[in-house]
Amino acid sequence: MAVTDDAILRVKEMIVSGELKPGDRLPREADLAERLGLSRNSLREAVKALSLVRVLDVRQGDGTYVSSLRADDLLGALSFVLDLHRGEDSVLEVLQVRRILEPAAAAMAAQRIDLDEVLKLRALCDAAEQAKSVEELVEHDLEFHRAIAQCSGNAYLAQLLDTLAGPTVRVRIWRGITQSNAVDRTVAEHRAIVDALAAHQPELARSWSTVHVAGVEQWLSDLA
């Protein structure tokens, strides 16, 4: 494993230094292994590992290429990891991360959001109030938070939050919210966030977003 880790670091250094750029094809395995002073087997394992996290793209019969290295491609691999960790402790830790990042995204969005985006968010609040099932509530909730993150103007932040969204966990949370008759309060918090965004008040948007995510976190913590 230590040899493979070394091989991964060597390839990573080539990418970070700019020697290999997005879309570049890696040299032949034998040539690259000799150049880096690695065995072909360790290089092969490194390539396999880097392809799993979408840094490299292995094309059968064509060679190995550096991926686009776009945020959505690289962070997409994180969703696979998160799907494997859905216990109470893991879910709470993800919510803690959301409590840090979502308010920041809301504050950034408040400085950039336009009227059409505000109207879209208000429409999602209306749709949530009319939802007939938990699945509909989850769909509107996902789209609501995704839209705010996209309004932040930071593609990495938006993709990271989308990856942390966890539709499966949201179904469970919304089911609990509906059973405790807290849907109206939750939608009211959404509307308060939108009002702050529409008024272009970053700190107010940050505060309401913090209250909103912290409330969900507290609710889930009480169940644990």
Side-chain angles (χ1 to χ4, degrees):
M1 183 57 68
V3 176
T4 301
D5 289 345
D6 183 51
I8 291 173
L9 287 175
R10 297 288 190 87
V11 176
K12 175 187 171 184
E13 286 169 2
M14 293 179 71
I15 296 173
V16 171
S17 69
E19 186 175 350
L20 287 174
K21 298 179 177 61
D24 282 356
R25 180 176 178 175
L26 268 65
R28 287 191 326 117
E29 181 182 275
D31 295 338
L32 185 57
E34 181 178 0
R35 176 179 166 187
L36 296 178
L38 302 167
S39 70
R40 293 180 65 175
N41 185 60
S42 62
L43 179 59
R44 195 173 299 125
E45 290 300 316
V47 167
K48 186 185 300 182
L50 290 169
S51 67
L52 286 174
V53 294
R54 304 181 184 178
V55 171
L56 296 180
D57 178 19
V58 179
R59 305 174 190 174
Q60 293 300 325
D62 187 26
T64 299
Y65 293 78
V66 179
S67 74
S68 66
L69 300 180
R70 287 172 42 187
D72 51 352
D73 289 333
L74 298 179
L75 290 173
L78 179 59
S79 62
F80 177 77
V81 176
L82 291 174
D83 284 339
L84 299 177
H85 298 274
R86 291 303 184 190
E88 296 288 353
D89 291 342
S90 297
V91 171
L92 282 170
E93 288 185 0
V94 169
L95 279 170
Q96 288 167 1
V97 175
R98 283 183 53 201
R99 177 161 47 82
I100 295 169
L101 297 180
E102 288 202 24
M108 293 167 68
Q111 302 176 65
R112 302 170 51 91
I113 198 165
D114 60 31
L115 180 58
D116 287 342
E117 291 163 335
V118 169
L119 292 175
K120 175 184 177 180
L121 291 171
R122 293 200 191 283
L124 287 169
C125 291
D126 293 341
E129 287 183 330
Q130 303 299 319
K132 298 293 190 291
S133 68
V134 171
E135 286 71 25
E136 282 185 58
L137 284 167
V138 170
E139 181 181 345
H140 297 317
D141 185 53
L142 283 168
E143 187 57 33
F144 179 84
H145 289 278
R146 181 181 294 125
I148 292 175
Q150 290 172 345
C151 287
S152 73
N154 187 308
Y156 287 88
L157 179 58
Q159 182 59 41
L160 180 55
L161 284 171
D162 197 39
T163 302
L164 293 170
T168 303
V169 174
R170 265 184 158 87
V171 168
R172 181 171 156 210
I173 290 172
W174 272 101
R175 185 169 289 122
I177 288 174
T178 55
Q179 290 171 353
S180 60
N181 299 316
V183 173
D184 289 345
R185 186 194 71 197
T186 303
V187 175
E189 290 173 358
H190 279 189
R191 290 192 183 281
I193 294 171
V194 178
D195 288 343
L197 293 173
H200 301 290
Q201 296 188 37
E203 292 312 310
L204 187 58
R206 186 195 306 272
S207 297
W208 271 115
S209 182
T210 301
V211 167
H212 178 59
V213 180
V216 175
E217 183 186 342
Q218 184 61 53
W219 175 85
L220 194 60
S221 180
D222 290 342
L223 290 182

